[in-house]
Amino acid sequence: MPKDPDPARRSERSRQAILEAARELVSEVGYAKVSIEAIAARAGVGKQTIYRWWRGKGAVVFDAFLALSEAGEGEAGEGGGVTLPDTGDIEADLKTVMRATVAEFADPAFEAPIRALNMEIVSDPELAAQYRERLAGPVDEAKKARLRSAQRAGQLAADVDLDLALELLYAPLYQRWLQRSGPLTPAYADALVDLFLKAMRPS
Amino acid sequence: MPKDPDPARRSERSRQAILEAARELVSEVGYAKVSIEAIAARAGVGKQTIYRWWRGKGAVVFDAFLALSEAGEGEAGEGGGVTLPDTGDIEADLKTVMRATVAEFADPAFEAPIRALNMEIVSDPELAAQYRERLAGPVDEAKKARLRSAQRAGQLAADVDLDLALELLYAPLYQRWLQRSGPLTPAYADALVDLFLKAMRPS
Amino acid sequence: MPKDPDPARRSERSRQAILEAARELVSEVGYAKVSIEAIAARAGVGKQTIYRWWRGKGAVVFDAFLALSEAGEGEAGEGGGVTLPDTGDIEADLKTVMRATVAEFADPAFEAPIRALNMEIVSDPELAAQYRERLAGPVDEAKKARLRSAQRAGQLAADVDLDLALELLYAPLYQRWLQRSGPLTPAYADALVDLFLKAMRPS
Amino acid sequence: MPKDPDPARRSERSRQAILEAARELVSEVGYAKVSIEAIAARAGVGKQTIYRWWRGKGAVVFDAFLALSEAGEGEAGEGGGVTLPDTGDIEADLKTVMRATVAEFADPAFEAPIRALNMEIVSDPELAAQYRERLAGPVDEAKKARLRSAQRAGQLAADVDLDLALELLYAPLYQRWLQRSGPLTPAYADALVDLFLKAMRPS
DNA sequence: CGATAATCGAGACGGTACGTCTCGTCTTTCC
DNA sequence: GGAAAGACGAGACGTACCGTCTCGATTATCG
């Protein structure tokens, strides 16, 4: 009987130290050069304590940034999670959101961790599922809520699959950033929204 | 003076053996578990011969698949590179192409190498640039040529940036595959083309 | 703080396996062709376990044969270490000992290890010091004890430095063996003792 | 047909450059850290040129210092080689020579090369033979000539084997230096000569 | 409250792979 | 055809981490 560890006895102190060390190290030296050994050393923790609760480097780093994002949400809404602006003007609202996203991606502090997260997602289906469930899911739900609201207002075609719509809107931006295949500017965000709205216009 | 090696003296025999070994190993054990040591051993080559000409595992694997693709092009067109079908019917042509792409992505033989390639691109800007120049570039040019042809035929708006258009058409598909965020079916390809054409319709 | 490893946690199992592997390999392929890698492999041990406790190949091989010799002593005397025969006849006793030494040097099984040991001693002062302390020291002490006994019996001059005397007696033999500059025979041993005794005769 | 190289075509320029580079490198970094590669680079010579004419590092270094010594002899005597002082007073002459030897060994510039030479001799019988023939031989002959002269003068016993005598005189000094087992002082040289003469006294 | 059990920090262990260095051979180009 | 230059196959070097495995020394319930 290998006996799973008892989560009740888990040291919250160590857990926090590990996640913080992971975050720091990814920012400092980049995901590829982070090692479990380094995380343990910086966190002042035995290696076994990491292996007891995570499957490996990927899972730790992943958790580290997930925890960060979830903490951020917690502060803001508490009950609700994420919400997108809804002024009634779908074009204005989307351009606001997309310009904000462009700006966020330009922040070098986000560069390392988000790229790291994406690499894990690409190569590990399990983490990908967890990511969709815990991070992307809620956000996507909020975005879809805004689109639904616009549909109800007759601003968007009612018969379009919202998952596909979301991809149409975000994937180009995401891909351009991930592959560094072009500049991310507010003008780009606007152009993308314009095309998107044309595609979604009620017939 | 670090003294770069002289490309004229390079052994073509070894180069081929290394690239082939890299391809085989990625297919057999997956990118993450491939090691320079294993590539050298399988290729019957000293490790130094790899380090002399490549920066590391990423670069070798990358080159291996790039060379494969470029070889493929050579056989087919010789003078031309890539061309997309042009029956005059842009909708039919795009659906053909997108369905083919979907099918290609479903092939498990492409899974490992393309994911590996993408991970390298995400984490190494230099390889990303090389990728765009040698692989994506020519293909994108062909795609843009087809779209331009449709613009000339009055089937697409003439004032749209074709780089953006290309992203709108391909990024959703690419992202869904990369993140495994949904099924890739012919129906999906059709729906994507429909939305794209609506967005690109001449006003 | 480079942090030395904790000797208390050291695995005696591994230590023994390493020393034995080192001994075997030196005997089989000769000192120059022994590698740390081969020792580790034969001992079933990680390379790091060797580097953790020794400075390099020289130190391991050295330790291996030193340990062997020390083990040998332990078996024999337990309390005392080494003792030389003392029949009261210094000439007979020395000839016995020197003939035995000559015979020992002729044994091909001693050839490789002792030459290896000597090469390390020549090139590494630190190992030389350790050698003198752990191996040569006790033996020399026994030899000097015998000479002192002869001095007390009036068979040798009382005013001669025993360190010098020891060198006079042993260095010629040792050098002839090391440099292969001549044959090592019982007659040679006798001649050497004769000359030595003449030099040491009480005036 | 492996075909030995033709010595007639050998480049004297390269030979000199190699030997000089070998000497310099041994002095600078120590024998163990010298590599054929480094010698070739410093000599401005292809590696093959070294392998064509020598068996390996040992042989080159050995030759380098041997050539040096032989060159030294050449300058001095031309016709004769080495000669030892002969004032008629064997004790004074030997003390002079031994004190000079002690002084020579104390010179740090001799340290590295002579130790290197000795290590090669210990581990390679072929080089040992060459060493005796080309270097030690002539010197020993000179020493024996001086001892013979003393024998003829009735200062030393006539029936002693001179090879053994030579060992008795030099081996203690040589061993003490090689193993660093004690200080090398003029007083030590004198004491050694005193004991030696007592051993060699005509009965 | 004192027993007892699991987590914890620490770090040695058998391994794999790294990227570098040197070996001795082979090949190319020049003289 | 020797020599410089240097790429090549081979493989050891010493280092960094891997994931597993003891070790005491704290905790933290439970008897």
Side-chain angles (χ1 to χ4, degrees), chain A residues 115 118-125 128 131-132 157 160-161 163-176 178-182 188 191-192 195-196 198-203, chain B residues 115 118-125 128 131-132 157 160-161 163-176 178-182 188 191-192 195-196 198-203:
Chain A
R115 291 204 116 88
N118 264 292
M119 282 185 52
E120 286 304 317
I121 288 167
V122 168
S123 59
D124 185 336
Y131 165 77
R132 266 195 308 286
V160 179
D161 172 31
D163 284 315
L164 175 52
L166 231 51
E167 284 171 0
L168 200 68
L169 183 56
Y170 280 94
L173 176 55
Y174 165 81
Q175 178 184 255
R176 188 174 272 220
L178 205 57
Q179 302 197 344
R180 292 177 249 247
S181 48
Y188 175 75
L192 192 50
L195 271 183
F196 170 75
K198 204 168 154 205
M200 298 289 293
R201 187 134 51 205
S203 40
Chain B
R115 290 205 115 85
N118 264 291
M119 281 185 52
E120 288 304 319
I121 288 167
V122 168
S123 59
D124 186 335
Y131 164 77
R132 266 195 310 285
V160 179
D161 173 33
D163 285 315
L164 176 52
L166 232 50
E167 284 171 1
L168 200 69
L169 182 58
Y170 281 93
L173 176 54
Y174 166 81
Q175 179 184 255
R176 188 174 273 220
L178 205 58
Q179 302 196 344
R180 293 177 249 247
S181 48
Y188 174 75
L192 192 49
L195 271 183
F196 169 76
K198 206 168 151 205
M200 298 289 292
R201 186 137 49 209
S203 40

Side-chain angles (χ1 to χ4, degrees), chain B residues 77-148:
Chain B
E78 198 56 55
V82 208
T83 332
L84 260 51
D86 190 347
T87 64
D89 180 348
I90 184 67
E91 180 180 343
D93 286 355
L94 286 183
K95 284 188 176 168
T96 302
V97 169
M98 294 300 277
R99 280 159 171 262
T101 305
V102 159
E104 200 178 57
F105 277 165
D107 181 350
F110 276 33
E111 186 81 10
I114 303 189
R115 290 205 115 85
L117 229 131
N118 264 291
M119 281 185 52
E120 288 304 319
I121 288 167
V122 168
S123 59
D124 186 335
E126 191 171 323
L127 291 183
Q130 233 186 326
Y131 164 77
R132 266 195 310 285
E133 191 183 326
R134 293 172 56 190
L135 246 199
V139 175
D140 285 357
E141 223 37 71
K143 292 171 185 167
K144 285 197 264 184
R146 180 65 189 85
L147 294 185
R148 247 190 301 269

Side-chain angles (χ1 to χ4, degrees), chain A residues 14-69:
Chain A
S14 298
R15 200 183 132 265
Q16 294 292 357
I18 289 164
L19 295 180
E20 193 182 329
R23 275 189 297 266
E24 289 172 11
L25 284 167
V26 168
S27 301
E28 288 170 24
V29 303
Y31 175 76
K33 287 187 183 161
V34 171
S35 68
I36 292 274
E37 219 132 71
I39 295 174
R42 160 114 32 152
V45 136
K47 285 198 290 174
Q48 196 64 262
T49 303
I50 297 185
Y51 284 111
R52 209 184 335 264
W53 303 108
W54 286 276
R55 278 197 304 111
K57 176 172 82 162
V60 178
V61 171
F62 184 81
D63 241 32
F65 288 100
L66 234 121
L68 190 67
S69 301

